[in-house]
Structure formats: C-alpha cells, structure tokens
Amino acid sequence: MIASVPTLTSARFTLRPMQRGDAGALLPTLGDEAQCRYLAREPFSSEEQLWNWLAAPEWPGLTWIAQDRKSAGVAGRFVAVPGELGRAFEIGYITCADRQGEGIARECTATIIAHLTQQGARRVTAEVDARNVPSIRLLESLGFHEDTHLRNRETTHSGVCDVLLYGVETERAT
C-alpha cells in the first residue's frame, strides 16, 4: 500500500509514504523496551526485522512518515487502517523518542484525520492500552471519546492489559 499513500502537509511536517531507510530512523524508538511498553509485541532487534514488519505486504493500512520540513529528520510513524466500506478508519501513531513532547503526534494525527474526513470517512477510531495516559490525553484533545473499556483484552510482551476503544465522528466534507 506504500504507493497509494498521499503526501500530506502540516505546519511543521511533511507526511509522506514510507521508504526503506525509515526503518533505521525508527529503530531507536521501536527497538527500545521503554518506548514499546504499550505495543502488543516486543521491541525490534534489528533494522531488517523492523522493515519486514513495517512493509508487510498483507497489512491493509496506510503508513505515513512524519518528516520535519526544517531538519528533514523522521519524527514519527502514523497509520490509518480502513474499516467498514472505507468509511471508518482506525488510526495509530508513534513519535520518535527524541522528539516526544513537541506536539508532533497531535499535529500529524489531526492532519491525517482531516484528510480522512475529506476522503469521506465518517468515523475514526483508536485502540489504546489503558495504561497509556499520554495517548489517551492526545485522543481526548482531538475530540475522541471512550467507547468501550475491555478488561484483560490483550496479551502483550509485558503481560495482559486492558484496552480502551476510542472514537470520533467526523464531519464529512462537502
């Protein structure tokens, strides 16, 4: 799906399709135990392992890489997975460890939601580990509401956790 990802822009970032070299830029974050504590899988041990996961041909989602327009550095990975007839999407995001706290996830996620809305999405959802307070705050700041709290829902590399399902209805562009 790499070729079908449109390039988007926000105030500070170009959200572009993923490239092979992005695995190297993401590995310091996705290879770190502390940064991966809320992921379902353990940290990645190599750039090759990470690339194989990022570029898995069976994965149905869209992936954007946030590239800083000033420094050209990679700042994070953002995804949208189509759901019901292309009118609902589940989003996901991770900001590179050295860029956390700069509002990157909020800025880029809002840009992607605006794009999805423009393309006809009626609903955007997110699944979040109930312990991930920064992610919950981000979603709520973007207008998401908790739909469901699923107890002991997911087994991760760090144990069994509760999962919160969040959603927001979008205003379809005319």
Side-chain angles (χ1 to χ4, degrees), residues 8 11 36 40 44 47 50 71 79 86 90 94 97 115 127 147 161:
L8 308 173
C36 293
F44 293 90
E47 188 176 321
L50 176 55
S71 71
V79 300
E90 181 179 346
I94 189 160
H115 168 72
E127 183 178 304
D147 289 333
C161 68

Side-chain angles (χ1 to χ4, degrees), residues 13 26 65-68 73-78 94-99 104:
F13 300 94
L26 294 169
I65 297 298
Q67 185 170 11
D68 190 300
V74 171
R77 175 182 183 246
F78 297 82
I94 189 160
T95 304
C96 292
D98 64 340
R99 300 294 306 266
I104 295 165

Side-chain angles (χ1 to χ4, degrees), residues 2-165:
I2 294 173
S4 65
V5 176
T7 298
L8 308 173
T9 57
S10 70
R12 299 177 292 161
F13 300 94
T14 298
L15 293 155
R16 60 163 174 77
M18 185 173 57
Q19 302 167 358
R20 176 67 175 89
D22 296 329
L26 294 169
L27 185 60
T29 301
L30 291 170
D32 180 271
E33 180 70 35
Q35 295 299 316
C36 293
R37 68 183 165 268
Y38 302 123
L39 295 181
R41 57 155 296 127
E42 70 278 349
F44 293 90
S45 59
S46 71
E47 188 176 321
E48 189 66 28
Q49 182 190 41
L50 176 55
W51 176 251
N52 289 338
W53 179 75
L54 290 170
E58 68 277 2
W59 190 69
L62 305 171
T63 298
W64 286 272
I65 297 298
Q67 185 170 11
D68 190 300
R69 293 196 343 226
K70 285 185 181 176
S71 71
V74 171
R77 175 182 183 246
F78 297 82
V79 300
V81 181
E84 172 196 334
L85 302 173
R87 299 293 182 209
F89 287 85
E90 181 179 346
I91 59 162
Y93 40 82
I94 189 160
T95 304
C96 292
D98 64 340
R99 300 294 306 266
Q100 291 174 0
E102 297 178 28
I104 295 165
R106 187 179 200 297
E107 180 178 330
C108 294
T109 300
T111 299
I112 290 169
I113 291 169
H115 168 72
L116 296 173
T117 300
Q118 199 172 48
Q119 298 302 307
R122 294 186 182 137
R123 182 165 176 75
V124 178
T125 64
E127 183 178 304
V128 62
D129 184 311
R131 303 167 295 178
N132 191 343
V133 175
S135 189
I136 292 166
R137 286 186 184 143
L138 168 67
L139 292 169
E140 290 175 350
S141 78
L142 291 169
F144 283 73
H145 299 283
E146 182 182 323
D147 289 333
T148 307
H149 185 144
L150 302 169
R151 303 197 186 284
N152 298 314
R153 171 64 172 204
E154 190 168 287
T155 302
T156 71
H157 68 284
S158 61
V160 177
C161 68
D162 289 3
V163 170
L164 303 176
L165 302 179

